[in-house]
Amino acid sequence: MKYEEIKINQTYETQKIITGQMVETFAEITGDKNPLHLDEEFASKTIFKKRIAHGILSLGIISSVLGMEFPGPGTIYMKQETKFLKPIYIDEKITIKITVKEKIPDKSRLILVTQIIKEDGSLGIDGEALVMFKN
């Protein structure tokens, strides 16, 4: 895809399932071994009632979509503002939705709405990213 082909309000969606293995691997890599993410018994006694994925793991998935799918290879992540609205549970199928909000042609930059939609249709994560896209 070329920068010139990207349009305002263009939307890209893809689905992923957040697995227990993903959460456990993320915990090992980062050292964030909060039992809320890893221990079903502990998590059952919280307001969430079961294990949830790390919020930053979800953002990492957004990052992978930006860099590999849309806008794709050549994308440089420059800034991300995020609201964590609802938890993402283990084995939940999520939809990652990217919408082009603004183009800044003189610097080959895009402002993108970055969202994760939960299985039930509710918004789990809502945010906005600034990226530079060189093709």
Side-chain angles (χ1 to χ4, degrees):
M1 172 171 280
K2 296 186 184 290
Y3 183 85
E4 299 75 32
E5 297 171 339
I6 298 171
K7 306 293 182 211
I8 303 294
N9 295 321
Q10 184 174 352
T11 298
Y12 178 85
E13 291 186 13
T14 189
Q15 294 186 322
K16 308 275 185 206
I17 295 174
I18 303 297
T19 66
Q21 182 177 1
M22 291 166 72
V23 170
E24 291 155 18
T25 300
F26 186 85
E28 282 299 317
I29 291 168
T30 64
D32 181 353
K33 297 180 181 180
N34 184 333
L36 183 58
H37 306 301
L38 302 173
D39 184 334
E40 197 66 55
E41 183 178 340
F42 177 90
S44 72
K45 297 173 185 162
T46 71
I47 61 170
F48 303 113
K49 304 297 182 207
K50 55 186 177 177
R51 291 171 53 203
I52 63 171
H54 302 76
I56 300 302
L57 170 59
S58 301
L59 284 180
I61 292 169
I62 289 173
S63 176
S64 74
V65 170
L66 297 178
M68 299 305 297
E69 298 175 39
F70 181 83
T75 300
I76 300 168
Y77 217 153
M78 300 179 70
K79 180 180 175 183
Q80 176 73 51
E81 294 179 19
T82 304
K83 294 177 193 167
F84 298 97
L85 302 173
K86 292 189 176 180
I88 308 298
Y89 292 101
I90 309 301
D91 296 325
E92 182 170 9
K93 182 189 275 186
I94 58 171
T95 300
I96 299 91
K97 181 178 179 181
I98 309 298
T99 305
V100 179
K101 181 177 179 182
E102 185 179 335
K103 291 180 74 172
I104 308 167
D106 59 321
K107 295 189 176 188
S108 298
R109 294 183 181 174
L110 301 168
I111 296 176
L112 306 169
V113 176
T114 54
Q115 299 175 312
I116 292 184
I117 301 160
K118 295 171 56 63
E119 276 184 16
D120 67 6
S122 65
L123 200 53
I125 292 179
D126 192 19
E128 192 171 282
L130 172 66
V131 300
M132 182 168 38
F133 182 66
K134 297 278 188 180
N135 44 346

